[in-house]
Amino acid sequence: MTATQNGPQVSGSNSVSGNGNNEAKKIRKFEAMIIILVGIIGGGFAGVVRRAMDHASYYEAISTGVVAAIALCGFIFGVVRYIRGQS
């Protein structure tokens, strides 16, 4: 009454596909859209705060928001890729 197993794979985890890429480590389109949306909202918030607190011009507030949105998206993508690379 012994059962054989194919390997030490944990149940529920994604297996390695034929070309060697692990599908669990990829950022999916849905996750990417959520990250970009969070970046845009964060950038808009940064622009509004810069305009309200610093009494900056609209150009300065918009440029701050764009830079903040790009930086926030890049930071979140980097964190997600790092966390997925650890597993």
Side-chain angles (χ1 to χ4, degrees):
M1 296 188 27
T2 61
T4 59
Q5 294 183 356
N6 292 333
Q9 181 180 2
V10 179
S11 64
S13 65
N14 292 340
S15 61
V16 176
S17 61
N19 58 2
N21 294 333
N22 192 350
E23 293 178 11
K25 293 183 181 180
K26 292 183 182 177
I27 296 177
R28 295 171 194 86
K29 289 181 184 178
F30 179 74
E31 294 170 344
M33 292 304 298
I34 296 295
I35 291 171
I36 291 171
L37 183 63
V38 167
I40 290 172
I41 291 170
F45 183 73
V48 168
V49 169
R50 170 92 191 264
R51 173 84 174 138
M53 297 296 217
D54 198 19
H55 302 293
S57 68
Y58 285 109
Y59 175 76
E60 291 173 339
I62 290 171
S63 64
T64 299
V66 168
V67 170
I70 292 171
L72 183 60
C73 288
F75 178 74
I76 294 172
F77 275 120
V79 168
V80 169
R81 288 184 58 118
Y82 176 76
I83 290 172
R84 293 230 174 119
Q86 294 298 314
S87 59

